[in-house]
């Protein structure tokens, strides 16, 4: 008899709501439980916090054992960096997500740069410093723009693309003097500036074999026209035409294959999702800007909508070392996601905003992020609130459907970008 999966999905964002939607379509699914979830999930799927902890190993493993969970899918980076996949391995429960060693690819920019250097992966030149004075002395000799990065996890806030020496000084000050990033700012990576267009490529891998999902383009700045502060992402579309088949080939041979080999040689095969953040130069050369050890948010919300096959066995094969290297089945379509955010996001988002969201219509699916139910009312509980997604034959129609659905959402004190995907239509 075919194995049926009792899945525990970890996370609370729009990415996890989209992952849950895909997992729930699987005929191989016996049961899905989610922790901590958000207001968009069927409450029956959500585990109460008395039942599970994802920061305490004993309590986590005891939940797995008592519940009969036979597959864990991890959305966000923090539990991966803390070693949740290693805990699962100790009790022989497959986990979609890399080990703590491999998750350093996101948890430490220094680790990622050293790994890229060893594997000869194209990326910006860099230097690493552990104190303010030596970093500042080096920075003054560099050409601008200069990119200043806190080494560790900083919830997307640790990177400054500095165009003046004053900005470099301020960024170094924040890291070393103000210690805004705590331990994550114990080291700084100073990097040369890469020019071009960014694309996010998601690679599912079992450590050796891999499958690439269609590339997406994220919109990181808060406001139309790519202005305002950097955010987690205000919208995305896929496929991103900037990642042409020939650039993808280049990325496979110069980035993915060498990086996976490097991890195997370190005796830590990388299993799960490798997020390759690319900068494509005007001449069509791809450089790596960053790696993440998990799916991107909000890109996942639109990328998953393009898949035309069951994702659950693919995740499982990646986790158990039995993935085939092949093309994933895709719809001949284009998808988009537009994020509705709370006023003040990303610096100081308003919280507890009342939301009225009409039912999904046509190809629109609304994925929740920062939402919660309170006394029968849906309220916002975070900066990014909803991701409105759509899929259709072309990007223009998908975007039009997202925007007409947004018009019907009643949510005072929220905002969204009106130019998502414009550059591709
Ligand atoms: P990271 O967290 O490393 O992805 O950096 C966040 C954002 O900063 C990226 O998505 C880019 O927009 C920008 N960035 C980071 N490194 C560079 C670089 N070397 N050149 C140009 N832009 C960069
Ligand atoms: N949207 C960018 C990220 O997930 O890191």
């Amino acid at each position: 008899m075919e194995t049926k999966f009792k899945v525990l999905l970890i996370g609370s964002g729009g990415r996890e709501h989209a992952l849950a939607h895909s997992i729930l379509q699987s005929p191989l699914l016996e049961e899905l439980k989610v922790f901590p979830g958000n207001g968009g999930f069927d409450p029956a799927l959500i585990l109460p916090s008395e039942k599970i902890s994802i920061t305490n190993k004993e309590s986590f493993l005891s939940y797995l054992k008592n519940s009969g969970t036979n597959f864990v899918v991890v959305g966000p980076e923090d539990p991966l960096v803390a070693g949740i996949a290693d805990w699962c391995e100790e009790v022989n429960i497959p986990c979609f997500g890399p080990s703590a060693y491999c998750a350093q690819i996101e948890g430490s920019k220094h680790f990622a740069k050293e790994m890229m250097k060893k594997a000869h992966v194209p990326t910006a030149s860099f230097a690493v410093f552990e104190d303010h004075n030596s970093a500042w002395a080096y920075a003054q000799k560099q050409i601008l723009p200069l990119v200043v990065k806190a080494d560790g996890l900083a919830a997307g806030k640790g990177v400054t693309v500095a165009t003046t020496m004053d900005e470099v000084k301020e960024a170094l000050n924040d890291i070393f003097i103000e210690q805004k990033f705590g331990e994550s700012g114990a080291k700084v990576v100073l990097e040369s500036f890469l020019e071009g267009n960014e694309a996010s490529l998601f690679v599912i891998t079992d450590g050796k074999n891999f499958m690439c999902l269609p590339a997406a383009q994220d919109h990181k700045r808060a406001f139309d026209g790519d202005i305002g502060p950097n955010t987690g992402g205000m919208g995305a579309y896929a496929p991103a035409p900037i990642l042409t088949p020939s650039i993808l080939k280049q990325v496979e041979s110069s980035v993915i294959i060498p990086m996976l080999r490097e991890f195997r040689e370190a005796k830590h095969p990388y299993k799960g999702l490798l997020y390759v953040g690319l900068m494509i130069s005007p001449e069509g050369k791809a450089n790596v800007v960053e790696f993440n050890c998990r799916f991107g948010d909000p890109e996942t919300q639109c990328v998953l909508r393009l898949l035309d096959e069951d994702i659950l066995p693919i995740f499982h094969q990646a986790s158990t070392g039995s993935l085939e290297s092949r093309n994933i089945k895709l719809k001949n379509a284009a998808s988009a996601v537009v994020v509705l955010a709370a006023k003040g996001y990303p610096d100081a988002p308003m919280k507890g905003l009342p939301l009225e969201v009409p039912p999904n219509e046509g190809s629109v699916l609304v994925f929740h992020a920062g939402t919660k139910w309170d006394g029968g009312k849906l309220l916002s509980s975070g900066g990014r609130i909803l991701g409105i997604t759509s899929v259709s034959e072309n990007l223009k129609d998908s975007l039009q459907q997202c925007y007409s659905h947004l018009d019907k959402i009643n949510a005072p004190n929220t905002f969204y970008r009106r130019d998502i995907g414009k550059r591709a239509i």
Side-chain angles (χ1 to χ4, degrees):
M1 205 180 77
E2 211 165 13
T3 318
K4 287 270 187 173
F5 296 115
K6 287 188 82 170
V7 178
L8 168 65
L9 170 65
I10 293 169
S12 63
R15 165 184 56 209
E16 287 76 21
H17 197 198
L19 284 167
H21 178 81
S22 294
I23 291 170
L24 285 166
Q25 315 296 312
S26 175
L28 299 176
L29 184 72
E30 182 182 326
E31 179 188 85
L32 175 67
K33 289 290 174 192
V34 181
F35 184 79
N38 65 41
F41 289 85
D42 174 351
L45 302 183
I46 297 186
L47 290 169
S49 55
E50 311 84 75
K51 284 223 165 157
I52 187 172
S53 161
I54 54 168
T55 49
N56 179 295
K57 181 172 159 185
E58 268 64 54
S59 146
F60 179 71
L61 293 182
S62 127
Y63 170 79
L64 292 189
K65 193 170 152 222
N66 296 334
S67 61
T69 300
N70 61 10
F71 190 30
V72 177
V73 176
V74 185
E77 63 276 17
D78 296 272
L80 292 167
V81 170
I84 207 162
D86 307 78
W87 304 348
C88 293
E89 177 147 13
E90 281 178 31
V91 293
N92 285 318
I93 294 180
C95 172
F96 184 73
S99 65
Y101 179 89
C102 295
Q104 290 180 84
I105 199 75
E106 175 166 5
S108 165
K109 307 236 183 240
H110 184 193
F111 176 92
K113 291 303 264 188
E114 289 298 341
M115 201 92 180
M116 285 190 256
K117 196 161 136 188
K118 272 201 232 151
H120 305 288
V121 166
T123 186
S125 59
F126 72 103
V128 183
F129 300 94
E130 292 184 23
D131 70 278
H132 183 278
N133 290 352
S134 37
W136 177 234
Y138 170 89
Q140 283 171 292
K141 292 185 222 132
Q142 306 308 306
I143 45 169
L144 294 166
L146 183 66
V147 187
V148 182
K149 300 186 174 184
D151 176 56
L153 294 181
K157 297 198 167 107
V159 175
T160 305
V161 179
T163 50
T164 65
M165 274 301 157
D166 279 347
E167 281 172 18
V168 174
K169 202 174 195 172
E170 199 182 318
L172 290 176
N173 227 48
D174 285 350
I175 292 171
F176 287 119
I177 316 284
E178 304 282 331
Q179 303 194 343
K180 278 197 183 159
F181 307 103
E183 261 305 291
S184 290
K187 290 189 225 172
V188 72
V189 176
L190 297 180
E191 226 179 76
S192 61
F193 177 75
L194 296 166
E195 203 158 336
N197 259 305
E198 285 182 79
S200 311
L201 179 65
F202 301 156
V203 183
I204 296 176
T205 177
D206 66 356
K208 187 163 192 293
N209 292 335
F210 64 90
M211 279 182 191
C212 294
L213 303 189
Q217 202 155 36
D218 189 7
H219 296 58
K220 291 209 162 95
R221 299 299 193 102
F223 308 125
D224 285 19
D226 289 329
I227 57 169
N230 255 318
T231 70
M234 293 298 296
Y237 62 92
I242 177 101
L243 206 89
T244 60
S246 91
I247 300 179
L248 177 61
K249 256 202 185 129
Q250 186 198 122
V251 172
E252 286 179 357
S253 62
S254 71
V255 178
I256 301 169
I257 293 170
M259 283 303 282
L260 296 182
R261 188 186 304 125
E262 204 59 46
F263 277 108
R264 287 198 306 278
E265 283 175 2
K267 302 276 180 284
H268 290 281
Y270 189 105
K271 291 180 192 175
L273 194 288
L274 181 65
Y275 170 131
V276 187
L278 294 162
M279 187 72 83
I280 318 289
S281 76
E283 301 77 38
K285 175 150 176 28
N287 272 284
V288 174
V289 176
E290 64 166 339
F291 286 111
N292 292 319
C293 64
R294 39 102 193 147
F295 275 106
D297 188 337
E299 299 99 306
T300 303
Q301 289 86 310
C302 65
V303 168
L304 291 180
R305 300 219 52 195
L306 295 174
L307 305 194
D308 205 14
E309 66 174 301
D310 187 356
I311 197 76
L312 193 54
I314 295 176
F315 284 174
H316 196 259
Q317 287 151 17
S319 314
T320 53
S322 54
L323 191 75
E324 260 179 273
S325 278
R326 63 169 172 87
N327 292 331
I328 199 157
K329 286 192 196 117
L330 296 173
K331 293 178 188 147
N332 187 10
S335 67
V337 54
V338 181
V339 171
L340 179 87
K343 211 168 172 180
Y345 175 73
D347 298 324
M350 292 174 74
K351 295 236 169 89
L353 303 169
L355 309 164
E356 282 174 40
V357 187
N360 293 324
E361 264 183 293
S363 83
V364 168
L365 282 178
V366 175
F367 293 122
H368 288 224
T371 69
K372 62 170 187 196
W373 288 95
D374 190 355
K377 289 202 173 95
L378 184 65
L379 300 179
S380 79
S381 59
R384 290 190 292 178
I385 302 172
L386 301 171
I388 291 73
T389 71
S390 181
V391 62
S392 61
E393 263 173 32
N394 61 65
L395 182 59
K396 198 165 170 234
D397 289 351
S398 291
L399 286 163
Q400 195 262 324
Q401 286 163 29
C402 292
Y403 283 115
S404 69
H405 202 75
L406 269 157
D407 283 343
K408 296 181 204 146
I409 295 176
N410 184 11
N413 291 312
T414 62
F415 73 100
Y416 56 89
R417 277 184 61 162
R418 284 157 206 277
D419 63 347
I420 302 301
K422 234 184 192 164
R423 60 184 91 140
I425 53 176

